[in-house]
Amino acid sequence: MDFTWLAILASLAMGTGTALVFVFAVKGNYFQNLEDAKYQVFWSDLEEPVDEQKKEAGNGEGADKGEHGRREQQRHTH
């Protein structure tokens, strides 16, 4: 029975803490621009392939070869 009350008090404390953190975040304008995080993740994923294409273009290989050019290159290198 004592563990039940301990579990109830722990859950109430966690719920209260979560509510306080939420109120703090709303008052601190943490939810002002939700779309920005999405674009930061999106653009960070695109940076690596773009950098690889620039390296290929710098080595005399065209960056606009397209899928057919990539297949031909792979076929000749393997």
Side-chain angles (χ1 to χ4, degrees), residues 16-31:
T16 303
T18 302
L20 289 174
V21 168
F22 177 75
V23 169
F24 172 76
V26 169
K27 289 192 178 262
N29 289 327
Y30 283 95
F31 298 118

Side-chain angles (χ1 to χ4, degrees), residues 8-53:
I8 290 172
L9 289 175
S11 64
L12 288 174
M14 287 188 287
T16 303
T18 302
L20 289 174
V21 168
F22 177 75
V23 169
F24 172 76
V26 169
K27 289 192 178 262
N29 289 327
Y30 283 95
F31 298 118
Q32 186 175 4
N33 190 1
L34 295 176
E35 297 293 316
D36 190 38
K38 175 177 71 174
Y39 291 117
Q40 285 176 358
V41 170
F42 176 72
W43 288 115
S44 68
D45 287 345
L46 287 181
E47 286 175 2
E48 184 177 319
V50 170
D51 290 340
E52 288 176 6
Q53 286 180 352

Side-chain angles (χ1 to χ4, degrees), residues 28 64 76:
D64 315 357
H76 292 294

